[in-house]
């Protein structure tokens, strides 16, 4: 959720990997187009490709719509990003993706699903769900985070780690107790100030969370959870231990399923293509029978259609050949300087 400390957490694990002996620097991607500052050096930054503010102006969008549209534009060139990541995958042990600050924009958007599936089909992938521990002491907020985590786990179908951040402010042991023993959570729920209404009866919210704690009890059993402080660095070592375990889980359980789903998609697409070709050949045969002298050679061939002259490239700033140019996907033009006078829409 917003304010959980995702970017600060990325900075901490980046610092941890650099401090190892020998150093083990990761390959980092920033996917948040609206952030003004990131506390780490990103190898690939969406802000170098898409101008978030200009997207809002061009399409008359608000902040969330601007982020979503910018991410959609970036995703159209994600094959280039994937090529760069795959080239570096042999040289680095970890690739880190810092997602947009709004959880709904990345998790439930088409572009978020495309990015997740593309990465997961190429290299072992683990989802780290960062939780603001001090704000989770309230049972309602805790349950909201757990429902989010459950939905993301079953949507991505990837190894999953709960990262309870800011443990320097609030230890996360209470959350582990609530996850391991639903009676502990129910006891905390009963003593919460919003547990009963003015007539002394349990509130609807209280009853709902009570039922959800029973439903999610099975979900908690196979879930990995670690406590981390992005400020002090406590728990980062335990986090990477959980990542290593999750990688084995990915290769053992998730990769076979991904390969099966990929083969099924390819089979379905091939069937659609074959059906389209067969219908096209039947139409051509009918047209030729009706008009034997018709100029069949003048028919439109999609393979002969000229490509768009606009060429947009994704840059890897860790490459020595990086020219430092600014690439604007909203206009399809290349600029040497970000400080340019944008023409008014229309």
């Amino acid at each position: 959720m917003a304010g959980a400390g995702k970017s600060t957490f990325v900075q901490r694990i980046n610092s941890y990997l650099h401090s190892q002996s020998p150093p083990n620097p990761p390959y980092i991607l920033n996917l948040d187009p609206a952030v003004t500052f990131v506390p780490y050096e990103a190898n690939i930054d969406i802000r170098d490709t898409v101008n978030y503010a200009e997207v809002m102006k061009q399409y008359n969008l608000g902040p969330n719509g601007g982020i979503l549209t910018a991410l959609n534009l970036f995703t159209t060139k994600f094959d280039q990003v994937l090529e760069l990541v795959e080239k570096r995958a042999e040289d680095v042990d970890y690739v880190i993706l810092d997602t947009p600050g709004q959880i709904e924009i990345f998790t439930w958007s088409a572009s978020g699903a495309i990015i997740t599936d593309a990465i997961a089909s190429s290299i072992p992938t683990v989802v780290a769900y960062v939780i603001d521990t001090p704000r989770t002491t309230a049972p309602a907020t805790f349950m909201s985070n757990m429902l989010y985590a459950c939905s993301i786990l079953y949507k991505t179908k990837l190894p999953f780690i709960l990262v309870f951040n800011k443990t320097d402010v609030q230890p996360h042991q209470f959350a582990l107790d609530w996850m391991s023993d639903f009676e502990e959570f129910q006891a905390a729920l009963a003593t919460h100030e919003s547990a009963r209404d003015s007539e002394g009866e349990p509130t609807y919210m209280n009853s709902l969370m009570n039922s959800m704690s029973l439903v999610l009890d099975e979900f908690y059993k196979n879930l990995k959870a670690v406590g981390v402080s992005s400020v002090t660095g406590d728990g980062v070592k335990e986090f990477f231990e959980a990542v290593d375990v999750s990688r084995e889980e990915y290769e053992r359980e998730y990769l076979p399923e991904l390969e099966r789903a990929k083969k099924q998609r390819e089979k379905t697409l091939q069937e659609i293509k074959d059906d389209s070709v067969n219908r096209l050949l039947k139409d051509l045969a009918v047209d030729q029978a009706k008009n034997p002298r018709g100029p069949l050679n003048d028919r439109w061939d999609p393979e002969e259609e000229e490509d768009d002259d606009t060429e947009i490239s994704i840059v890897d700033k860790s490459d020595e050949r990086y020219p430092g140019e600014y690439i604007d996907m909203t206009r399809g033009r290349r600029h040497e300087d970000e400080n340019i006078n944008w023409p008014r829409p229309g």
Side-chain angles (χ1 to χ4, degrees), residues 38-281:
V38 288
Y40 53 82
E41 184 66 29
N43 298 91
I44 297 178
D45 197 327
I46 188 176
R47 297 176 298 170
D48 295 328
T49 304
V50 185
N51 187 326
Y52 162 72
E54 187 62 20
V55 168
M56 291 177 61
K57 293 178 183 177
Q58 289 290 323
Y59 298 100
N60 298 320
L61 300 171
N64 289 342
I67 295 174
L68 181 58
T69 303
L71 192 63
N72 290 340
L73 291 170
F74 185 73
T75 305
T76 62
K77 294 296 178 180
F78 199 74
D79 56 328
Q80 298 180 26
V81 177
L82 202 57
E83 289 179 4
L84 294 172
V85 171
E86 289 175 342
K87 288 179 182 178
R88 294 299 188 93
E90 297 181 358
D91 303 326
V92 299
D93 291 335
Y94 299 99
V95 177
I96 303 173
L97 280 75
D98 189 6
T99 61
Q102 283 73 8
I103 184 174
E104 300 88 352
I105 288 177
F106 186 79
T107 304
W108 300 110
S109 67
S111 53
I114 291 171
I115 291 173
T116 303
D117 292 343
I119 291 290
S121 62
S122 302
I123 56 178
T125 306
V126 181
V127 177
Y129 180 71
V130 183
I131 297 174
D132 188 341
T133 308
R135 293 173 58 189
T136 312
T137 53
T141 310
F142 172 82
M143 186 55 63
S144 297
N145 269 294
M146 293 303 104
L147 289 174
Y148 263 128
C150 182
S151 63
I152 294 171
L153 170 63
Y154 289 112
K155 187 177 190 300
T156 60
K157 298 179 181 178
L158 290 169
F160 199 86
I161 302 175
L162 286 179
V163 180
F164 288 95
N165 196 17
K166 306 181 184 179
T167 54
D168 54 309
V169 179
Q170 172 67 53
H172 71 296
Q173 187 58 46
F174 75 93
L176 298 180
D177 293 339
W178 288 354
M179 293 170 61
S180 60
D181 188 354
F182 70 90
E183 292 182 355
E184 288 279 347
F185 178 76
Q186 290 178 335
L189 196 60
T191 58
H192 196 261
E193 58 184 11
S194 61
R196 298 185 180 276
D197 56 22
S198 58
E199 298 179 356
E201 296 295 327
T203 61
Y204 172 77
M205 182 63 70
N206 181 275
S207 300
L208 179 62
M209 288 189 291
N210 212 337
S211 301
M212 287 181 177
S213 66
L214 297 174
V215 173
L216 294 179
D217 185 54
E218 190 67 27
F219 165 70
Y220 296 146
K221 291 181 179 179
N222 299 316
L223 201 61
K224 290 178 286 294
V226 295
V228 172
S229 171
S230 296
V231 175
T232 65
D234 291 340
V236 175
K237 180 180 178 182
E238 290 75 11
F239 167 74
F240 279 103
E241 291 174 352
V243 170
D244 292 338
V245 173
S246 298
R247 173 174 182 153
E248 297 176 359
E249 181 183 345
Y250 168 91
E251 295 175 344
R252 183 180 64 253
E253 300 179 8
Y254 289 83
L255 186 57
E257 177 63 22
L258 287 173
E259 291 177 346
R260 186 198 63 77
K262 182 179 179 181
K263 290 180 180 178
Q264 182 61 38
R265 284 197 300 269
E266 292 176 350
K267 180 181 178 182
T268 303
L269 288 174
Q270 188 60 44
E271 290 175 352
I272 294 174
K273 290 180 180 178
D274 293 343
D275 181 63
S276 298
V277 170
N278 291 333
R279 284 187 294 171
L280 177 61
L281 292 176

